[in-house]
Structures are given as structure tokens and as C-alpha cells.
Coordinates of all heavy atoms in Angstrom, one line a residue:
L1 N -17.1 2.2 -0.1 CA -17.7 2.5 -1.4 C -18.7 3.6 -1.2 O -19.8 3.3 -0.5 CB -18.4 1.2 -2.0 CG -19.1 1.4 -3.3 CD1 -18.1 1.8 -4.4 CD2 -19.9 0.1 -3.7
A2 N -18.4 4.8 -1.6 CA -19.3 5.9 -1.4 C -20.3 6.1 -2.5 O -20.0 6.1 -3.6 CB -18.5 7.2 -1.3
D3 N -21.6 6.2 -2.0 CA -22.7 6.4 -2.9 C -22.6 7.7 -3.6 O -21.9 8.6 -3.1 CB -24.0 6.2 -2.1 CG -25.2 6.0 -2.9 OD1 -25.2 6.0 -4.2 OD2 -26.3 5.7 -2.3
E4 N -23.4 7.9 -4.6 CA -23.4 9.2 -5.4 C -23.8 10.4 -4.5 O -23.4 11.5 -4.8 CB -24.4 9.1 -6.6 CG -23.9 8.1 -7.6 CD -24.9 8.0 -8.8 OE1 -25.3 9.1 -9.3 OE2 -25.2 6.9 -9.2
N5 N -24.6 10.1 -3.5 CA -25.1 11.2 -2.7 C -24.2 11.7 -1.6 O -24.5 12.6 -0.9 CB -26.5 10.8 -2.0 CG -26.3 9.6 -1.2 OD1 -25.3 9.3 -0.7 ND2 -27.4 8.9 -1.0
V6 N -23.0 11.1 -1.5 CA -22.0 11.6 -0.6 C -21.2 12.8 -1.2 O -20.7 12.7 -2.3 CB -21.0 10.4 -0.2 CG1 -19.9 10.9 0.7 CG2 -21.8 9.3 0.4
P7 N -21.2 13.9 -0.5 CA -20.6 15.1 -1.1 C -19.1 15.0 -1.2 O -18.4 14.4 -0.4 CB -20.9 16.2 -0.1 CG -21.3 15.5 1.2 CD -21.7 14.1 0.8
W8 N -18.6 15.6 -2.3 CA -17.1 15.6 -2.6 C -16.3 16.1 -1.4 O -15.2 15.4 -1.2 CB -16.8 16.5 -3.8 CG -15.4 16.7 -4.0 CD1 -14.8 17.9 -3.9 CD2 -14.4 15.8 -4.2 NE1 -13.4 17.8 -4.1 CE2 -13.1 16.4 -4.3 CE3 -14.4 14.4 -4.4 CZ2 -11.9 15.8 -4.5 CZ3 -13.1 13.7 -4.6 CH2 -12.0 14.5 -4.7
P9 N -16.6 17.1 -0.7 CA -15.7 17.5 0.5 C -15.5 16.4 1.5 O -14.4 16.2 2.0 CB -16.5 18.7 1.1 CG -17.3 19.3 0.0 CD -17.7 18.1 -0.8
L10 N -16.5 15.6 1.7 CA -16.4 14.4 2.6 C -15.4 13.4 2.0 O -14.6 12.8 2.7 CB -17.7 13.8 3.0 CG -17.7 12.6 3.9 CD1 -16.9 13.0 5.2 CD2 -19.1 12.1 4.2
I11 N -15.6 13.1 0.7 CA -14.7 12.1 0.0 C -13.3 12.6 0.2 O -12.4 11.8 0.5 CB -15.1 12.0 -1.4 CG1 -16.6 11.5 -1.6 CG2 -14.1 11.1 -2.2 CD1 -16.8 10.1 -1.1
R12 N -13.0 13.9 -0.1 CA -11.7 14.4 -0.1 C -11.1 14.3 1.4 O -10.0 13.9 1.6 CB -11.7 15.9 -0.5 CG -10.4 16.5 -0.7 CD -10.4 17.9 -1.2 NE -11.3 18.7 -0.5 CZ -12.3 19.5 -1.0 NH1 -12.4 19.6 -2.3 NH2 -13.1 20.2 -0.2
L13 N -12.0 14.6 2.4 CA -11.5 14.6 3.8 C -11.1 13.1 4.2 O -10.1 12.9 4.8 CB -12.6 15.1 4.7 CG -12.3 14.9 6.2 CD1 -11.1 15.8 6.6 CD2 -13.6 15.3 7.0
L14 N -12.0 12.2 3.8 CA -11.7 10.8 4.2 C -10.4 10.3 3.5 O -9.6 9.6 4.1 CB -12.9 9.9 3.8 CG -14.2 10.1 4.6 CD1 -15.3 9.4 3.9 CD2 -14.0 9.8 6.0
R15 N -10.2 10.7 2.3 CA -9.0 10.3 1.6 C -7.8 10.9 2.2 O -6.7 10.3 2.3 CB -9.1 10.6 0.1 CG -10.1 9.7 -0.7 CD -10.2 10.1 -2.1 NE -11.1 9.2 -2.8 CZ -11.6 9.4 -4.0 NH1 -11.3 10.5 -4.7 NH2 -12.3 8.5 -4.6
S16 N -7.9 12.2 2.6 CA -6.8 12.9 3.2 C -6.4 12.2 4.6 O -5.3 12.4 5.0 CB -7.1 14.3 3.4 OG -8.0 14.5 4.5
M17 N -7.4 11.5 5.2 CA -7.1 10.8 6.4 C -6.6 9.4 6.2 O -6.4 8.6 7.1 CB -8.4 10.7 7.2 CG -9.0 12.0 7.6 SD -10.7 12.0 8.3 CE -10.4 10.9 9.7
G18 N -6.4 9.1 4.9 CA -5.8 7.8 4.6 C -6.7 6.7 4.3 O -6.3 5.5 4.2
L19 N -8.0 7.0 4.3 CA -9.0 5.9 4.0 C -9.1 5.6 2.5 O -8.9 6.5 1.7 CB -10.4 6.3 4.5 CG -10.5 6.4 6.0 CD1 -11.8 7.0 6.4 CD2 -10.2 5.1 6.7
D20 N -9.4 4.4 2.2 CA -9.5 3.9 0.8 C -11.0 4.1 0.5 O -11.9 3.3 0.9 CB -9.1 2.4 0.8 CG -9.2 1.8 -0.6 OD1 -9.7 2.5 -1.5 OD2 -8.8 0.6 -0.7
V21 N -11.3 5.1 -0.4 CA -12.6 5.4 -0.7 C -12.8 5.4 -2.2 O -12.1 6.1 -3.0 CB -13.0 6.8 -0.2 CG1 -14.5 7.1 -0.6 CG2 -12.8 7.0 1.2
V22 N -13.7 4.5 -2.7 CA -14.1 4.5 -4.1 C -15.5 5.2 -4.1 O -16.4 4.9 -3.4 CB -14.3 3.1 -4.6 CG1 -14.9 3.1 -6.0 CG2 -12.9 2.4 -4.7
W23 N -15.6 6.3 -4.9 CA -16.8 7.1 -5.1 C -17.5 6.7 -6.4 O -16.9 6.8 -7.4 CB -16.4 8.5 -5.0 CG -17.5 9.5 -4.8 CD1 -18.7 9.3 -4.2 CD2 -17.5 10.9 -5.3 NE1 -19.4 10.5 -4.2 CE2 -18.7 11.5 -4.9 CE3 -16.5 11.7 -5.9 CZ2 -19.0 12.8 -5.1 CZ3 -16.8 13.0 -6.2 CH2 -18.0 13.6 -5.8
I24 N -18.7 6.3 -6.2 CA -19.5 5.9 -7.4 C -19.4 6.9 -8.5 O -19.3 6.5 -9.7 CB -21.0 5.6 -7.0 CG1 -21.1 4.4 -6.1 CG2 -21.8 5.4 -8.3 CD1 -20.8 3.0 -6.8
L25 N -19.4 8.2 -8.2 CA -19.4 9.2 -9.3 C -18.1 9.2 -10.1 O -18.1 9.8 -11.2 CB -19.6 10.6 -8.7 CG -21.0 10.9 -8.3 CD1 -21.1 12.3 -7.6 CD2 -22.0 10.8 -9.4
E26 N -17.1 8.6 -9.6 CA -15.8 8.5 -10.3 C -15.6 7.2 -11.1 O -14.6 6.9 -11.6 CB -14.6 8.7 -9.3 CG -14.6 10.0 -8.7 CD -13.4 10.1 -7.7 OE1 -13.1 9.1 -7.0 OE2 -12.9 11.2 -7.5
T27 N -16.7 6.4 -11.1 CA -16.6 5.1 -11.8 C -17.6 5.0 -12.9 O -18.4 6.0 -13.2 CB -17.0 4.0 -10.8 OG1 -18.4 4.0 -10.5 CG2 -16.2 4.0 -9.5
S28 N -17.7 3.9 -13.6 CA -18.6 3.7 -14.7 C -20.0 3.2 -14.1 O -20.9 2.9 -14.9 CB -18.1 2.7 -15.7 OG -17.9 1.4 -15.0
Y29 N -20.1 3.2 -12.8 CA -21.3 2.7 -12.2 C -22.3 3.8 -11.8 O -23.3 3.5 -11.1 CB -21.0 1.9 -10.9 CG -20.1 0.7 -11.1 CD1 -18.9 0.7 -10.5 CD2 -20.5 -0.3 -11.9 CE1 -18.0 -0.4 -10.7 CE2 -19.7 -1.4 -12.1 CZ -18.5 -1.5 -11.5 OH -17.7 -2.5 -11.7
R30 N -22.2 5.0 -12.3 CA -23.1 6.1 -12.0 C -24.5 5.7 -12.4 O -24.8 5.1 -13.4 CB -22.7 7.3 -12.8 CG -21.4 7.9 -12.5 CD -21.0 9.0 -13.4 NE -21.8 10.2 -13.0 CZ -21.3 11.4 -12.9 NH1 -20.0 11.6 -13.3 NH2 -22.0 12.4 -12.6
G31 N -25.4 6.0 -11.4 CA -26.8 5.8 -11.7 C -27.3 4.4 -11.4 O -28.5 4.1 -11.7
I32 N -26.5 3.5 -10.8 CA -26.9 2.1 -10.6 C -27.9 2.1 -9.3 O -27.9 3.0 -8.5 CB -25.8 1.2 -10.4 CG1 -24.9 1.6 -9.2 CG2 -24.9 1.2 -11.7 CD1 -23.8 0.5 -8.9
S33 N -28.6 1.0 -9.2 CA -29.5 0.8 -8.1 C -28.8 0.5 -6.8 O -27.6 0.1 -6.8 CB -30.5 -0.3 -8.4 OG -29.8 -1.6 -8.4
N34 N -29.5 0.7 -5.7 CA -29.0 0.3 -4.4 C -28.6 -1.1 -4.3 O -27.6 -1.5 -3.7 CB -30.0 0.6 -3.3 CG -30.3 2.1 -3.2 OD1 -29.5 2.9 -3.6 ND2 -31.4 2.4 -2.6
D35 N -29.4 -2.0 -4.9 CA -29.0 -3.4 -4.9 C -27.7 -3.7 -5.6 O -26.8 -4.5 -5.1 CB -30.1 -4.3 -5.6 CG -31.3 -4.4 -4.7 OD1 -31.2 -4.6 -3.5 OD2 -32.4 -4.4 -5.3
E36 N -27.5 -3.0 -6.7 CA -26.2 -3.1 -7.4 C -25.0 -2.6 -6.6 O -23.9 -3.1 -6.7 CB -26.3 -2.4 -8.8 CG -27.2 -3.1 -9.7 CD -27.5 -2.3 -11.0 OE1 -27.9 -1.1 -10.9 OE2 -27.3 -2.9 -12.1
I37 N -25.2 -1.5 -5.9 CA -24.2 -0.9 -5.1 C -23.8 -1.9 -4.0 O -22.6 -2.2 -3.7 CB -24.6 0.4 -4.4 CG1 -24.7 1.5 -5.5 CG2 -23.7 0.8 -3.3 CD1 -25.2 2.8 -5.0
I38 N -24.8 -2.6 -3.4 CA -24.5 -3.6 -2.4 C -23.7 -4.8 -3.0 O -22.7 -5.2 -2.4 CB -25.8 -4.1 -1.7 CG1 -26.4 -3.0 -0.9 CG2 -25.5 -5.3 -0.9 CD1 -27.7 -3.3 -0.3
D39 N -24.1 -5.2 -4.2 CA -23.4 -6.3 -4.8 C -21.9 -5.9 -5.1 O -21.0 -6.7 -4.9 CB -24.0 -6.6 -6.2 CG -25.4 -7.3 -6.0 OD1 -25.7 -7.8 -4.9 OD2 -26.2 -7.3 -7.0
I40 N -21.7 -4.7 -5.6 CA -20.3 -4.2 -5.8 C -19.5 -4.2 -4.5 O -18.4 -4.6 -4.5 CB -20.3 -2.9 -6.5 CG1 -20.9 -3.0 -8.0 CG2 -18.9 -2.2 -6.6 CD1 -21.2 -1.7 -8.6
A41 N -20.1 -3.6 -3.5 CA -19.4 -3.5 -2.2 C -19.1 -4.9 -1.6 O -18.0 -5.1 -1.1 CB -20.3 -2.7 -1.2
N42 N -20.0 -5.8 -1.8 CA -19.8 -7.2 -1.3 C -18.6 -7.8 -2.0 O -17.7 -8.4 -1.4 CB -21.0 -8.1 -1.4 CG -22.1 -7.7 -0.4 OD1 -21.8 -7.1 0.6 ND2 -23.3 -8.2 -0.7
R43 N -18.6 -7.7 -3.3 CA -17.5 -8.3 -4.1 C -16.1 -7.7 -3.8 O -15.1 -8.3 -3.8 CB -17.8 -8.2 -5.6 CG -18.8 -9.1 -6.2 CD -18.8 -9.2 -7.7 NE -19.0 -7.9 -8.3 CZ -20.2 -7.4 -8.6 NH1 -21.3 -8.0 -8.3 NH2 -20.3 -6.2 -9.2
A44 N -16.2 -6.4 -3.5 CA -14.9 -5.6 -3.3 C -14.6 -5.6 -1.8 O -13.6 -4.9 -1.4 CB -15.0 -4.2 -3.8
E45 N -15.4 -6.2 -1.0 CA -15.2 -6.2 0.5 C -15.1 -4.8 1.0 O -14.2 -4.4 1.8 CB -14.0 -7.0 0.9 CG -14.1 -8.5 0.5 CD -13.0 -9.3 0.9 OE1 -11.9 -8.8 1.4 OE2 -13.1 -10.6 0.8
R46 N -16.1 -4.0 0.7 CA -16.2 -2.6 1.1 C -17.4 -2.3 1.9 O -18.4 -2.9 1.7 CB -16.1 -1.6 -0.1 CG -14.8 -1.6 -0.8 CD -14.8 -0.7 -2.0 NE -13.5 -0.7 -2.6 CZ -12.5 0.1 -2.2 NH1 -12.6 1.0 -1.2 NH2 -11.3 0.0 -2.7

């Protein structure tokens, strides 16, 4: 689960390597707190 501060080129590279990456900027969770990011990651096992 990639935080908003992770740059797009890194997201693209990781995906091209076959990794399963959910980027916060591509979801409805933009702007959420660090605690909320951890909660989402825990629920999604990320």
C-alpha cells in the first residue's frame, strides 16, 4: 500500500516487476491520516 508521497515512477517500476501495489493517490483515500493508512493496510494484509 503506497502512501501519497511515493513517486509515480517507483509505483510504475514496482508494478512492472509484478508486485501488487495499491497507490493511495489512485483511491478514494487521498489525504487520509497515517493511522488510517495503517488500518487500511492491516485490513488488506499489505
Side-chain angles (χ1 to χ4, degrees):
L1 177 63
D3 199 354
E4 294 179 46
N5 57 26
V6 177
W8 168 246
L10 180 56
I11 301 295
R12 187 176 54 226
L13 174 66
L14 293 170
R15 288 177 177 167
S16 74
M17 295 170 60
L19 295 174
D20 180 355
V21 182
V22 171
W23 193 25
I24 292 291
L25 284 177
E26 295 177 325
T27 71
S28 61
Y29 300 118
R30 296 175 76 135
I32 63 173
S33 71
N34 293 341
D35 287 321
E36 291 171 305
I37 289 174
I38 291 172
D39 290 341
I40 292 167
N42 286 342
R43 283 193 306 272
E45 298 181 352
R46 291 183 176 273

